[in-house]
Amino acid sequence: MMFIVRTDGPAPNLAIKMTRRATDGSGKTDYFCVGDPGDLPVVPVHDGWYADDRGGGVAIFGQGKFWEVRDTPFSIVEADDGVAERSAAPVAEIVNVRGAIFGV
């Protein structure tokens, strides 16, 4: 599970996957972390794209359960284990779409 710790203090003692300047204009830093946040102030993530300050970012889906760190919007640097497991699943039966729709 990924979440954001937004602080103007030191970096949290967690696995930090990406950092950026906070987008709320507070001058704080957003730390995109995985692990147990304990009692740290956490900003919840929603499905979507969170850009960093260098042209990359984090893609979040599944309400923070699945994530991909990218150095550009199209190249994945690191992904959570759930995505890797899901993408390694066997492909179901191949369907002839044209035949299914048009009977050809």
Side-chain angles (χ1 to χ4, degrees), residues 2-93:
M2 184 171 282
F3 52 89
I4 301 170
V5 175
R6 181 171 290 162
T7 182
D8 55 1
N13 189 19
L14 294 167
I16 298 172
K17 300 301 180 179
M18 185 186 83
T19 62
R20 70 174 186 187
R21 287 172 289 152
T23 57
D24 63 357
S26 65
K28 296 180 179 183
T29 301
D30 285 344
Y31 296 97
F32 288 75
C33 303
V34 293
D36 180 12
D39 59 353
L40 293 171
V42 171
V43 177
V45 294
H46 305 283
D47 290 358
W49 173 251
Y50 294 83
D52 65 11
D53 300 326
R54 299 174 305 278
V58 175
I60 302 283
F61 42 104
Q63 308 306 339
K65 185 175 181 184
F66 304 110
W67 51 268
E68 298 170 343
V69 177
R70 299 174 180 208
D71 57 356
T72 72
F74 304 106
S75 58
I76 299 170
V77 175
E78 182 181 2
D80 68 286
D81 292 333
V83 173
E85 289 173 13
R86 192 178 62 205
S87 64
V91 177
E93 173 186 352

